Amino acid sequence: MDTMGRHVVAELWDCDPELLNNIEQVEKIMVNAAIESGAEVREVVFHKFSPLGVSGVVVISESHLTIHSFPEHKYASVDVYTCGDRIDPKVAAEYISRGLRAKRQETVQFARGLGKLKVDELSMESAGGTVR
Amino acid sequence: MDTMGRHVVAELWDCDPELLNNIEQVEKIMVNAAIESGAEVREVVFHKFSPLGVSGVVVISESHLTIHSFPEHKYASVDVYTCGDRIDPKVAAEYISRGLRAKRQETVQFARGLGKLKVDELSMESAGGTVR
């Protein structure tokens, strides 16, 4: 298997805090994001913190999706890393952002496995539009 | 809980390929890296690909550690993300690099959860020393 991969780091702000604290909903959104992007789900593990917050991981054949939610700050920290060029990690990241009703997001995309770490793309989006 | 976190993305090259393909060893190194850094382990999930490669995640109270190994390329793609400032993700990343006997590594550290994604530090290391 080729080492080339793409990794989207997404900071989601002004999300729905009730969703962020609901482990079943967060897990469903993350698994569906993986499926939506065309990835093959291998392992799913989610953890609820008391009283607030969910952490979880979806291991896919093509790498992983992770989330850490902070309902009290309406913030979720999301990573989508996909090896190869068949799956676009942005598709999953955007699905998660929509699912959690983020009003602002900042994302950075890296190229990985190529010998040199490289930031491909940095974008900020809010209700007002996209800044690149 | 505060949203502030640090995320180390580490590209490990020229690792020991036998170690990279041994799920028990990879899991042990990842869990011990978390413990070594002072993190609290919550969930552990590892997956062996046939014939080559291991993917795994250690969910910690402070976020996560992940690995994807490519024994045929002697490469491992590692992330260590820790929320708060109590745990230094570099301690875990360096433990994993030593454990897998990486001869070259490239790492980037991000600040997360602060409203603006920011690259704190980029370093390349090889047997010859460190370049920052």
Side-chain angles (χ1 to χ4, degrees), chain A residues 64-110:
Chain A
H64 70 255
L65 295 82
T66 62
I67 186 166
H68 305 286
S69 79
F70 298 75
E72 69 278 39
H73 298 284
K74 302 183 182 178
Y75 164 68
S77 170
V78 168
D79 288 73
V80 182
Y81 174 21
T82 58
C83 285
D85 56 9
R86 196 178 63 82
I87 310 285
D88 183 351
K90 275 189 295 194
V91 172
E94 282 160 15
Y95 184 97
I96 297 163
S97 176
R98 279 197 308 279
L100 297 173
R101 300 175 195 150
K103 293 200 185 70
R104 282 188 301 133
Q105 66 175 65
E106 191 173 11
T107 61
V108 59
Q109 182 174 308
F110 281 106

Side-chain angles (χ1 to χ4, degrees), chain B residues 109-121:
Chain B
Q109 183 175 307
F110 281 107
R112 296 190 71 166
L114 297 177
K116 180 92 191 123
L117 269 167
K118 197 166 72 65
V119 173
D120 279 341
E121 205 174 296

Side-chain angles (χ1 to χ4, degrees), chain A residues 44-64:
Chain A
V44 178
V45 57
F46 278 76
H47 189 89
K48 176 78 180 73
F49 290 94
S50 180
L52 293 169
V54 171
S55 279
V57 181
V58 181
V59 177
I60 54 177
S61 294
E62 302 81 4
S63 291
H64 70 255

